[in-house]
Amino acid sequence: MSLDSLADREGWHTEGFAARVHYRGEGDRYAVEYYAPSDCVLYWKVKGDGETAVPVGRETVPDPLRERVRLDLDAAGIDPAAEGRSL
């Protein structure tokens, strides 16, 4: 497993022990963060101003976005089950 491999996926950027990507879909914007030490994913819904984000439960995130995150994790050699783990 390597955060560098995740950074090779479209849109992902690494910062220390974490990786982040931004998605837009169905009129909503999300920031998605993968944290290597806890091996989990957090979702943030970005407000209209683009500056404010609030954490949201994964059950509120559209399924196509969650599937994309799992595919990216898997392609980077990270267990895609990390997407469903609680912090």
Side-chain angles (χ1 to χ4, degrees), residues 49-79:
D49 64 8
E51 298 294 320
T52 306
V54 295
V56 294
R58 65 183 42 83
E59 67 280 352
T60 68
V61 176
D63 288 335
L65 172 53
R66 293 187 64 196
E67 179 62 22
R68 165 75 194 276
V69 170
R70 287 190 293 271
L71 290 172
D72 284 349
L73 292 173
D74 190 44
I78 299 169
D79 182 0

Side-chain angles (χ1 to χ4, degrees), residues 29-67:
R29 294 187 303 169
Y30 291 91
V32 181
E33 297 175 330
Y34 169 75
Y35 292 94
S38 54
D39 195 29
C40 70
V41 172
L42 296 179
Y43 290 96
W44 301 78
K45 192 167 188 177
V46 180
K47 299 285 188 172
D49 64 8
E51 298 294 320
T52 306
V54 295
V56 294
R58 65 183 42 83
E59 67 280 352
T60 68
V61 176
D63 288 335
L65 172 53
R66 293 187 64 196
E67 179 62 22

